[in-house]
Amino acid sequence: MDSKQLEAFDSHVAGEGKVEPKDWMPDNYRQTLIRQISQHAHSEIIGMQPEGNWISRAPSLRRKMILLAKVQDEAGHGLYLYSAAETLGVSRGEMDQALLSGKAKYSSIFNYPTLTWADAVAIGWLVDGAAITNQIPLCRCSYGPYARAMVRVCKEEAFHQRQGFEGMMALAKGTSEQKAMAQGALDRWWWPSIAMFGPPDDDSPHSAQSMAWKIKRFSNDELRQKFIDMAVIQAQALGLEIPDPDLKLNEETGHWQTGPIDWDEFWAVVKGKGPCNRQRMTHRRKAHDEGAWVREAAMAFANKQQQKSEKAAA
Amino acid sequence: MDAVIATALRFGDNAMVLGQRLGRWVSRSPTIELDVGFANQALDLIGQANLFYELAGRLEGKGRSADDLAFLRGADEYYNVQLVEQPNGDFAQTVMRQVLYAAYADIVFDFMAKGSNDDLAAIAAKGQKEMAYHFRHAGEWVIRLGDGTEESHARSQKALDFLWPWSHELFAYDAVDEKMVRQDVLPDAETIKKQWMESLGEVFERAGLIINEDGWQPGGGREGVHSEHLSYLLTEMQVLPRTYPGTQW
Ligand SMILES: [Fe+2]
Ligand SMILES: [Fe+2]
């Protein structure tokens, strides 16, 4: 590697310069971004499943339309992010293969089940809420295509979060059965949501380099804290109880402090032992396998059309 | 039942049931682009159902909301054509069902949008644009599959053979429809059937598919007579409002 090139790159990035696809970049920078962006895309795709689980049973026409529109957005985010990753020289086929083979990861939170309607709503409130907290700083990411993708994605995630909160409010202010449903969802999704920010800072191998490269702007723990402070206030507004007996406001810092996060559970789910890891992967592979003949047909048709137009031109 | 209310319910139910069917593809499609497409089309259809139901509820004057009409009627009170309740099957069957229905709805809504009933015209004007798009999208897929691989061709011909009998019901007008024709709300059955055959004929020709007419013409959806499939579809769709009556969501 040319040390002058590297120096120039580092100072460009340190000065908040943007990196574009054709620019020279260190291989590690490229690989880090490919991993992060494709993982993000895979999360959008797998994330369609737990919410999609309630499309057929959404309890009103309005809720069904909101949910369909949201899941449609998530699929769109996946496509948009795959395109951003492709600008780094990885192909869509390689990324699909990495997800299907289990080599690539996706956000572990989607390995939890949506057992009631309230779970599907709570995903909008908490998971989209956590996603925005993570992604707003990514709008300033040093890699241009990712930063631009995030600007659009964040707008939609913010909309999902508001709708999720509104949906939770309808349940929390509803009948006693609805309120119990909402509380049950918060009980199930609270800890996975705050674990979504990843391991604590002293146990986060990739963080320092990503900070220096302006891919990451805040540490996992800083982002987690931002989210907790926001979510606690919102849970109070809903009249729901956060399932953490140790939760308290730290008067000095003004931040909400939680009890210990169960990192053993987090790592177990990351390593495939969550309630739905196998189900999510089986579902994705089944969709992929059952669609193979359709994709082949589309390709065969496109080839025939091309041959026809070449013949006509000749 | 008043003919305008009946018509609103019939088209609302067609859209509701077909939207419910398409929504099932989301996260299960052959490509992510198709996941987006199916979600989008399901959304269009449920939007149409919502508008037709609001109108039906308002005209009926019994205080039934769009949600009441969607979630609290049983299969024998649903008036959709049986075509739209047929199972998704494989992708070939789903796009075939879509092209058969969308071609029809496109033509009917185009007429209804210029017709004498302003309420229905407003809904149809929006719906026509959507169904024209669904027809184009599904039609392109039927052509692609028909003229793709041997397997995709065989699956498409099978889908057409399976679904074709239910297409007849689209044109099986009853007294309500005839009244709507006289009032210049619906086009007459002969006219739409001719236009429909023209639209589809072109698609099938490019796809290399043939219509095998075997004389079976199931029907009765307009009067609430359905195949076994509809009750399952509604049971799943209605589970929450039925379990928790009177609850707002
Ligand atoms: Fe998203
Ligand atoms: Fe979202």
Side-chain angles (χ1 to χ4, degrees):
Chain A
M1 193 190 307
D2 187 332
S3 67
K4 282 230 178 73
Q5 266 180 322
L6 183 60
E7 232 169 79
F9 178 86
D10 283 346
S11 80
H12 176 69
V13 165
E16 296 294 338
K18 286 275 180 264
V19 181
E20 295 300 330
K22 291 207 166 73
D23 297 345
W24 183 88
M25 62 188 88
D27 201 44
N28 273 347
Y29 178 84
R30 189 185 296 276
Q31 294 312 323
T32 300
L33 278 165
I34 288 177
R35 192 186 61 232
Q36 181 169 337
I37 300 171
S38 61
Q39 243 178 47
H40 189 166
H42 298 328
S43 304
E44 302 281 0
I45 300 308
I46 298 291
M48 288 162 60
Q49 291 181 36
E51 290 182 285
N53 184 37
W54 283 90
I55 289 174
S56 66
R57 293 171 295 163
S60 72
L61 294 170
R62 178 167 167 265
R63 293 292 171 201
K64 196 189 280 288
M65 289 192 272
I66 289 173
L67 186 57
L68 272 166
K70 178 180 193 289
V71 179
Q72 184 188 342
D73 285 348
E74 308 301 5
H77 296 168
L79 288 175
Y80 206 47
L81 285 158
Y82 282 131
S83 305
E86 280 179 319
T87 65
L88 291 156
V90 63
S91 75
R92 174 73 187 277
E94 288 172 274
M95 290 186 277
D96 288 347
Q97 230 24 68
L99 175 63
L100 292 165
S101 71
K103 192 173 141 244
K105 298 281 174 229
Y106 55 86
S107 184
S108 238
I109 191 124
F110 298 122
N111 291 317
Y112 289 88
T114 48
L115 301 177
T116 71
W117 166 247
D119 290 312
V121 177
I123 289 183
W125 171 40
L126 293 172
V127 179
D128 285 71
I132 303 162
T133 312
N134 243 329
Q135 290 166 22
I136 284 174
L138 288 173
C139 298
R140 294 185 290 131
C141 169
S142 59
Y143 188 59
Y146 193 28
R148 289 188 287 276
M150 279 302 101
V151 172
R152 180 177 133 180
V153 168
C154 275
K155 267 188 212 149
E156 295 183 352
E157 303 295 17
F159 187 60
H160 300 162
Q161 201 272 343
R162 279 200 300 279
Q163 285 179 325
F165 182 74
E166 188 264 331
M168 285 303 283
M169 189 60 95
L171 296 172
K173 302 292 170 210
T175 64
S176 59
E177 285 141 322
Q178 284 175 305
K179 188 165 179 187
M181 213 183 265
Q183 183 62 54
L186 177 57
D187 292 347
R188 283 185 288 277
W189 291 85
W190 173 252
W191 291 105
S193 298
I194 65 175
M196 227 180 114
F197 293 88
D201 295 349
D202 47 20
D203 189 22
S204 183
H206 304 299
S207 281
Q209 183 61 79
S210 284
M211 296 273 235
W213 275 332
K214 311 270 180 192
I215 295 172
K216 227 172 139 73
R217 300 273 170 174
F218 299 98
S219 74
N220 292 354
D221 286 333
E222 284 170 327
L223 292 168
R224 183 174 4 257
Q225 189 61 58
K226 264 186 215 217
F227 172 71
I228 290 168
D229 290 341
M230 178 187 83
V232 169
I233 304 298
Q234 291 177 342
Q236 285 173 344
L238 292 169
L240 298 177
E241 199 178 326
I242 296 211
D244 178 1
D246 299 326
L247 184 75
K248 62 171 187 291
L249 185 65
N250 182 324
E251 302 284 351
E252 264 168 55
T253 61
H255 291 304
W256 287 89
Q257 255 173 275
T258 68
I261 297 172
D262 184 351
W263 291 111
D264 290 343
E265 175 179 328
F266 174 79
W267 288 115
V269 179
V270 169
K271 288 176 183 145
K273 304 242 162 51
C276 298
N277 297 58
R278 290 173 198 197
Q279 181 187 333
R280 301 288 182 244
M281 288 306 296
T282 304
H283 182 118
R284 184 89 288 274
R285 288 187 188 125
K286 186 162 183 265
H288 184 82
D289 293 347
E290 287 178 356
W293 69 270
V294 177
R295 297 188 302 274
E296 276 159 25
M299 200 131 47
F301 179 78
N303 288 340
K304 283 187 203 173
Q305 294 303 106
Q306 205 187 340
Q307 278 167 9
K308 271 185 209 162
S309 67
E310 275 166 12
K311 234 184 222 167
Chain B
M1 196 189 300
D2 170 79
V4 175
I5 298 175
T7 301
L9 285 176
R10 288 170 180 186
F11 283 98
D13 292 345
N14 285 339
M16 186 73 239
V17 171
L18 190 55
Q20 183 74 3
R21 282 281 187 238
L22 293 189
R24 174 75 187 169
W25 275 100
V26 177
S27 87
R28 294 178 176 85
S29 306
T31 65
I32 306 299
E33 288 78 357
L34 283 165
D35 281 321
V36 174
F38 279 127
N40 188 35
Q41 294 187 12
L43 197 51
D44 286 343
L45 289 163
I46 290 158
Q48 288 170 23
N50 190 36
L51 294 172
F52 279 122
Y53 290 159
E54 275 175 359
L55 174 62
R58 181 158 58 78
L59 295 178
E60 187 192 52
K62 290 182 190 159
R64 287 203 287 182
S65 68
D67 281 338
D68 292 339
L69 290 168
F71 293 97
L72 301 177
R73 284 180 302 145
D76 60 344
E77 300 165 285
Y78 258 73
Y79 306 113
N80 57 281
V81 290
Q82 291 186 12
L83 173 68
V84 295
E85 74 204 36
Q86 296 311 306
N88 282 345
D90 62 5
F91 180 75
Q93 189 168 315
T94 292
V95 291
M96 189 61 71
R97 187 185 57 200
Q98 200 66 12
V99 87
L100 295 174
Y101 180 73
Y104 162 82
D106 178 11
I107 297 160
V108 173
F109 288 170
D110 187 50
F111 188 96
M112 200 185 265
K114 297 166 194 146
S116 69
N117 186 292
D118 291 345
D119 291 323
L120 288 171
I123 303 171
K126 182 172 174 290
Q128 188 272 327
K129 290 190 196 84
E130 293 164 348
M131 297 322 289
Y133 173 74
H134 294 200
F135 172 67
R136 247 193 340 273
H137 185 262
E140 280 166 11
W141 272 108
V142 169
I143 292 167
R144 232 175 253 143
L145 298 180
D147 191 17
T149 62
E150 228 171 274
E151 180 181 6
S152 68
H153 179 83
R155 283 176 184 261
S156 301
Q157 185 62 53
K158 199 174 151 214
L160 178 55
D161 291 344
F162 173 73
L163 290 167
W164 184 255
W166 281 283
S167 70
H168 300 289
E169 190 187 359
L170 296 169
F171 314 103
Y173 273 16
D174 66 359
V176 168
D177 297 311
E178 295 301 346
K179 190 171 175 191
M180 290 288 88
V181 172
R182 286 195 300 277
Q183 292 182 12
D184 207 26
V185 172
L186 287 179
D188 71 81
E190 282 311 305
T191 308
I192 17 171
K193 185 160 188 183
K194 194 164 158 283
Q195 281 187 44
W196 182 82
M197 273 311 308
E198 275 168 22
S199 312
L200 285 175
E202 204 192 308
V203 170
F204 293 156
E205 197 192 308
R206 290 182 58 197
L209 299 174
I210 43 171
I211 294 167
N212 292 309
E213 194 70 70
D214 68 359
W216 185 45
Q217 302 194 356
R222 282 173 174 79
E223 281 80 46
V225 176
H226 293 283
S227 61
E228 288 179 347
H229 305 293
L230 184 63
S231 167
Y232 285 98
L233 179 144
L234 294 179
T235 300
E236 182 178 359
M237 180 175 110
Q238 298 177 339
V239 62
L240 284 169
R242 297 273 196 191
T243 309
Y244 306 101
T247 300
Q248 294 299 306
W249 299 90

